Amino acid sequence: DGANTGTGLRFSESTMEDDALQNGYICPISQEIMQDPVKCSDSQSYERSAISLWLEQHNTSPITRERMEILGPNVELRKSIEEWKTANFKLAEA
């Protein structure tokens, strides 16, 4: 079943999960839909809280294992996720 876990939303419906995954809305670390995505120097986006915690313990990318840093907010991705969530929640309520 779906649950709000604090840093993101998890969905039980596989079609919504597949759609979110295909669109890059899922954080590679938390495996949740991002609410505050940030761009990083490894060319990936992550949920800010997840990558911040990761970087407190590592100075490398969780994907490439190369040295990395947070470049800043991914405003375009955040807007796209918000639009997707709005559309999907309206469909789920209908």
Side-chain angles (χ1 to χ4, degrees):
D1 52 33
N4 184 340
T5 60
T7 60
L9 298 173
R10 297 193 96 146
F11 294 99
S12 61
E13 296 181 32
S14 62
T15 55
M16 289 178 72
E17 286 180 358
D18 290 346
D19 188 36
L21 186 59
Q22 289 173 5
N23 287 314
Y25 299 164
I26 305 287
C27 173
I29 299 171
S30 68
Q31 295 299 301
E32 296 177 342
I33 296 172
M34 294 180 271
Q35 293 184 10
D36 186 14
V38 292
K39 296 177 189 177
C40 291
S41 58
D42 67 348
S43 301
Q44 298 293 317
S45 290
Y46 302 90
E47 175 61 34
R48 182 183 301 275
S49 60
I51 195 62
S52 295
L53 183 61
W54 173 270
L55 290 174
E56 285 178 14
Q57 301 171 10
H58 311 86
N59 64 350
T60 59
S61 163
I63 296 177
T64 67
R65 302 290 187 222
E66 294 179 13
R67 188 170 175 82
M68 68 166 273
E69 63 184 336
I70 297 173
L71 301 176
N74 191 333
V75 177
E76 292 136 10
L77 181 58
R78 184 177 186 159
K79 181 179 178 190
S80 183
I81 291 169
E82 289 300 320
E83 291 171 354
W84 177 86
K85 287 194 302 189
T86 299
N88 280 284
F89 283 122
K90 284 183 181 176
L91 288 174
E93 292 173 0

